[in-house]
């Protein structure tokens, strides 16, 4: 197998996450908003606890999307659970 096709395993031994269009995910950037001084924030490095909290929140949104998608309603999936409504 050519090196370009070889899949390197992640730190926990998992296969890489590949999108439906074939791109391998190596980093996720978060729009974290401005820092306390008002300067724009562009990315965040998460602690293990913060990453787990983010994962829980993303899974909650997946459950909402699956539930509302099954009912034919997509609007609720765009608002995170517990977020204030517009």
């Amino acid at each position: 197998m050519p090196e370009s096709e070889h899949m390197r395993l992640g730190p926990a031994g998992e296969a890489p996450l590949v999108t439906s269009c074939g791109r391998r995910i190596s980093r996720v950037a978060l729009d974290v908003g401005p820092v306390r001084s008002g300067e724009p924030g562009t990315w965040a490095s998460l602690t293990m606890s913060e990453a787990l909290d983010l994962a829980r929140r993303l899974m909650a949104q997946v459950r909402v999307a699956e539930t509302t998608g099954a009912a034919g309603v997509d609007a609720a999936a765009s608002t995170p659970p517990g977020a204030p409504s517009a």
Side-chain angles (χ1 to χ4, degrees):
M1 171 182 296
E3 184 63 31
S4 62
E5 293 180 23
H6 179 67
M7 291 185 14
R8 292 178 24 196
L9 298 180
E14 74 280 4
L17 176 61
V18 180
T19 66
S20 60
C21 63
R23 293 186 176 201
R24 186 185 319 207
I25 302 296
S26 60
R27 182 184 324 179
V28 175
L30 303 174
D31 179 4
V32 297
V35 294
R36 289 185 182 158
S37 65
E39 295 178 30
T42 57
W43 63 277
S45 178
L46 304 178
T47 65
M48 184 184 304
S49 176
E50 292 165 337
L52 288 170
D53 185 43
L54 174 60
R56 280 190 287 276
R57 291 171 186 241
L58 289 171
M59 290 305 298
Q61 288 188 29
V62 167
R63 287 189 292 277
V64 169
E66 288 175 339
T67 302
T68 58
V73 179
D74 293 331
S78 65
T79 304
S85 56

